[in-house]
Amino acid sequence: LQDSAEYPLSLGTQPWRRFRAGFCELVAAVVRRCQYSVVYDEFLMDALISLLTGLSDSQVRAFRHTSTLAAMKLMTALVNVALGVSLHQENNQRQYEAERSKGPSRRATDKLEALLEKRREV
């Protein structure tokens, strides 16, 4: 397989197409499922990056290509998480500013505190 021009991710047969799609979905699903907790844990990301780095340094071309594909899918999923966090921050800031601009009699102090706490959390 090392010297072959064909390697699993480029094969067009049904099992390898399913593997490629399933592998890509696995990487994206791990990030999606962990986007509120484990993604921010340095241990998981360090371990995953070490795995992908080790695979990309392999003598076997299939491992290098698999690692590259996984890294691309991982980065895409992380960018999607970052985009979601950014949108969440913007919405929170907009709600906070709208509530703060209300007159003192109409302003909900508990809502302002909740929005501030949410902003600190994010």
Side-chain angles (χ1 to χ4, degrees):
L1 191 62
Q2 182 178 353
D3 296 330
S4 173
E6 294 183 7
Y7 46 92
L9 291 177
S10 69
L11 292 177
T13 60
Q14 185 63 25
W16 288 111
R17 282 197 310 255
R18 275 198 317 263
F19 170 78
R20 184 175 50 239
F23 181 72
C24 293
E25 181 56 32
L26 171 70
V27 173
V30 166
V31 174
R32 241 188 348 265
R33 298 266 181 174
C34 302
Q35 70 180 325
Y36 299 111
S37 59
V38 181
V39 165
Y40 304 103
D41 177 24
E42 291 178 25
F43 178 75
L44 173 70
M45 284 296 120
D46 286 348
L48 193 52
I49 290 169
S50 292
L51 171 69
L52 294 177
T53 303
L55 285 173
S56 70
D57 200 27
S58 174
Q59 295 290 323
V60 180
R61 184 186 329 186
F63 290 164
R64 292 192 309 264
H65 286 253
T66 302
S67 172
T68 302
L69 177 65
M72 288 174 32
K73 294 301 178 178
L74 177 66
M75 289 306 296
T76 300
L78 289 173
V79 166
N80 288 334
V81 168
L83 177 64
V85 168
S86 176
L87 288 174
H88 188 68
Q89 279 181 316
E90 288 174 14
N91 287 338
N92 186 323
Q93 183 65 29
R94 196 172 17 253
Q95 288 174 346
Y96 177 78
E97 294 299 329
E99 192 63 34
R100 204 174 74 155
S101 68
K102 291 180 181 177
S105 61
R106 294 182 53 220
R107 189 178 301 157
T109 309
D110 55 336
K111 186 174 181 180
L112 272 175
E113 289 175 15
L115 288 168
L116 268 176
E117 180 61 32
K118 190 184 276 189
R119 186 165 73 182
R120 275 189 228 112
E121 185 180 301
V122 171

